[in-house]
Amino acid sequence: MTKTLTLFNQTFILHPSGAMFWEEEDLLVISDVHLGKVSHFRKFGSAVPQKAIAGNFKKMDEVIGFFDPSKIAFLGDLFHSSLNKEWLLFEQWMETVSAEVILVEGNHDIISPLKYEALGIFITSEMTIKNFLFTHHPEERAGFFNFSGHIHPGVKINGLGRQQLKLSCFFKSKDQLILPAFGEFTGKHILIPQGDDEVYVVTKEEVICLNE
């Protein structure tokens, strides 16, 4: 189950995967996939499940199938590290994608832009469309509403007794929405809502607004 936001008379749909779809622009927005991270950590001896690699591609396929966008924008940290075997999987995956693909560079995107351009991916440091600014790091800029990633936002939710859950979320403030990390093997940075901040927690099946 998704949640819909209306900003500047534009429609944005928040998906349980952590992706966001801008209806009027037919644009799917995904942040912090961190492809290659599993292979990077396994190389140095970490016990990271191999199935997490396939999980990222399956998750991207599912959300692309759900919205069928004409454009996909990755808000940085698409690939976690230098080239490894997951890059070959990414090249194969790109052959199945018919949408235009844009990468807004993040701090982990250290692979040569030429490698992305060879796959038909357009690379930029930021993207502006209408009243909206798309960046990797959260930014404040007069006259724009900012969509970003990088933070891997999460919140703590208290359950029965002393039980406490840490869940990924879309974190919205007055002029900004920070997307959750899309990748299977990523951590969370716990944020504490203030004032009019809105929190949209993501579970495997739905997006839940904690302000309702």
Side-chain angles (χ1 to χ4, degrees):
M1 186 181 300
T2 60
K3 280 287 183 184
T4 301
L5 300 179
T6 302
L7 303 166
F8 294 98
N9 295 315
Q10 299 291 294
T11 308
F12 297 90
I13 302 171
L14 310 183
H15 189 268
S17 64
M20 179 187 74
F21 183 67
W22 184 357
E23 199 168 72
E24 288 81 3
E25 291 291 324
D26 200 22
L27 171 66
L28 180 66
V29 183
I30 297 173
S31 190
D32 297 277
V33 183
H34 288 274
L35 295 173
K37 187 172 185 177
V38 173
S39 296
H40 177 77
F41 276 79
R42 285 176 65 89
K43 178 181 177 182
F44 292 99
S46 295
V48 183
Q50 185 80 14
K51 65 180 182 180
I53 296 175
N56 283 325
F57 291 103
K58 180 182 177 183
K59 196 174 174 185
M60 288 193 291
D61 285 338
E62 287 174 348
V63 73
I64 290 170
F66 185 86
F67 289 111
D68 190 24
S70 62
K71 301 183 291 291
I72 302 169
F74 290 99
L75 297 188
D77 291 359
L78 172 56
F79 212 85
H80 178 77
S81 57
S82 54
L83 289 173
N84 58 36
K85 64 181 182 181
E86 284 184 54
W87 179 261
L88 297 177
L89 297 175
F90 178 63
E91 288 182 330
Q92 294 168 9
W93 179 80
M94 277 296 299
E95 292 177 359
T96 71
V97 177
S98 59
E100 174 189 351
V101 179
I102 303 153
L103 172 60
V104 177
E105 286 182 294
N107 51 293
H108 278 279
D109 294 309
I110 60 174
I111 294 172
S112 168
L114 296 177
K115 299 289 287 186
Y116 288 106
E117 290 167 2
L119 299 178
I121 298 172
F122 177 76
I123 299 182
T124 183
S125 59
E126 63 179 42
M127 182 171 70
T128 55
I129 306 174
K130 298 177 181 176
N131 298 92
F132 302 98
L133 169 68
F134 296 83
T135 57
H136 176 59
H137 293 85
E139 289 194 19
E140 294 183 10
R141 191 173 302 175
F144 286 95
F145 187 95
N146 175 228
F147 293 106
S148 67
H150 182 63
I151 300 293
H152 301 194
V155 291
K156 290 181 180 179
I157 298 177
N158 294 320
L160 297 174
R162 295 185 178 181
Q163 185 182 24
Q164 195 172 65
L165 294 175
K166 295 180 181 180
L167 298 174
S168 296
C169 68
F170 294 89
F171 196 90
K172 182 182 178 296
S173 53
K174 181 176 180 291
D175 296 311
Q176 188 175 83
L177 180 72
I178 306 174
L179 276 70
F182 188 90
E184 289 281 297
F185 183 56
T186 52
K188 303 176 189 69
H189 177 66
I190 301 302
L191 299 176
I192 300 174
Q194 305 287 335
D196 295 329
D197 291 344
E198 297 174 15
V199 175
Y200 297 86
V201 165
V202 294
T203 72
K204 288 186 177 181
E205 298 178 348
E206 61 182 326
V207 179
I208 303 169
C209 179
L210 297 186
N211 301 77
E212 293 178 347

